[in-house]
Structure formats: structure tokens, C-alpha cells
Amino acid sequence: MAVAAHSAGALWGVSAEKLEYRYSDSDEELAVLEGDAFYGSDELKFRWLFEGEWEEAHNAWETLENQFVAQVPVDEFWDAKAGIRVDTPEGEDRVYGVLGLTGLAPYWFEVDTNLYVSDEGDASADFEAEYELLITNYWIVSASFETLVAFSEDREIGVGKGLNSTELGLRLSYDLIDRAFSPYIGVVHERKFGDTADLARDSGGSTEDWFAVVGARVMF
């Protein structure tokens, strides 16, 4: 969550939840960016969610995603959101409508899940969960899980029908400046499944990787 500032009754904030370098067991190198900017109130927020992976070998974005959504509370711990998502993968750009739910599940798991429908009629859904364990007031272990399921295939961007992929992450961070700057190290496991794995093999890509990770969380 970004640090919030007040401006004439409104809240705003910017954060880079992931600003990291990844090196895989197959010598793949990636720069990963994931962040969030918002403006609004507790009753209505407008958010820009962005994430991407820069592939060093090709000197290009492997994935680049931007979401522009409005978010409103539906429960004490949960918010609903709706808007659009714009992707710039290899090949033609993709535009999706977004419906999502984000909040705090029992046992303090942060959860984010979304349904996407593209301008081509392709539908998919993702699910993300993260749990933070405070070792001390400064040392924090974060465990994360992400998965994507597609209800139809989009071969042009390497998406097959069914379970597409999972990502498991474990990071150890240290809060240097009151959670405004927190460097971390960690490990990430990525795996593709089913038709998506077949499409990756056909294009010469890998279907499973382990990554060593070094990065930082930055909040403004």
C-alpha cells in the first residue's frame, strides 16, 4: 500500500511494490517493475496499476501492463474495482475490461483477484495473495502467490486455454526509512502449464524457472 498524502480532502499516493532484478537458473535476466498510483477518498479511488518485465537478452519489454480503475468499498475489508487494462506484449496490443476485488482475507492475507474480457472477446482471471511476517520491526518476510487462468486461447501472445501459469515468491526485506524504502532479496519460481507451456516450447521459451531476486520497495 502506498503512503497516502492529503490534498484538499483527497488522498493520493505512489508506490513501486517491486523494483527488482531477477537472474534465473537458465541465465535469463529480467528487470521487473510493479507499482500503483491513486487519487481519491475512502469512498472512491482512481488507481493506475502498472507492471512489466524487461528482458535483457532482447533489450525489450517481455510484458507491459497498465490498468486504470475506479475502486469503491463493498465491505469493511474489501473493495471492488472496475476499469480497463492495456497490454503491450509482442504482437498487437490488447485492451481488456476489468472487474476485480481486493482486500484483506482472514489471517491477514492480502488478496487481489480480477476478471478480464478483451476487445477480441477472450476472457481470463487472475488471483494474487501475499502474506507478511514481521520478524522484527524492520525485518519482514513476504510470501506471495500468483496464478492466471484463461477461458479462451490467444495464440498471438502465447496464452493457452486453462491454467496458464503460477508464480511463487519469498522475499526478505529491511525497512530503512519507515517502510518508504525497503531493500530486499529473495527467490521466485515461475511455471507455465498446459497449452500455454506448449506454446512456450514451440517458440523456444522455457516452461519453468527459478530466479534469484534483489530489489526494493519504494513509496512516495
Side-chain angles (χ1 to χ4, degrees), residues 21 25 41 80 92 95 98 123 171 177 185 205 211:
Y21 166 80
D25 54 353
S41 66
E92 294 186 8
V95 179
V98 179
R171 295 171 176 84
I177 310 173
I185 58 172
F211 292 89

Side-chain angles (χ1 to χ4, degrees), residues 90 153-160 164 192 195-197 199-200 203:
E90 294 183 5
E153 69 176 22
D154 189 346
R155 287 181 170 269
E156 290 184 8
I157 58 173
V159 171
N164 274 214
K192 296 181 176 67
D195 293 341
T196 301
L199 292 171
S203 64

Side-chain angles (χ1 to χ4, degrees), residues 174-195:
Y174 183 80
D175 288 341
L176 280 179
I177 310 173
D178 194 25
R179 306 216 72 179
F181 181 71
S182 304
Y184 59 79
I185 58 172
V187 62
V188 169
H189 177 258
E190 293 182 354
R191 183 177 178 184
K192 296 181 176 67
F193 297 89
D195 293 341

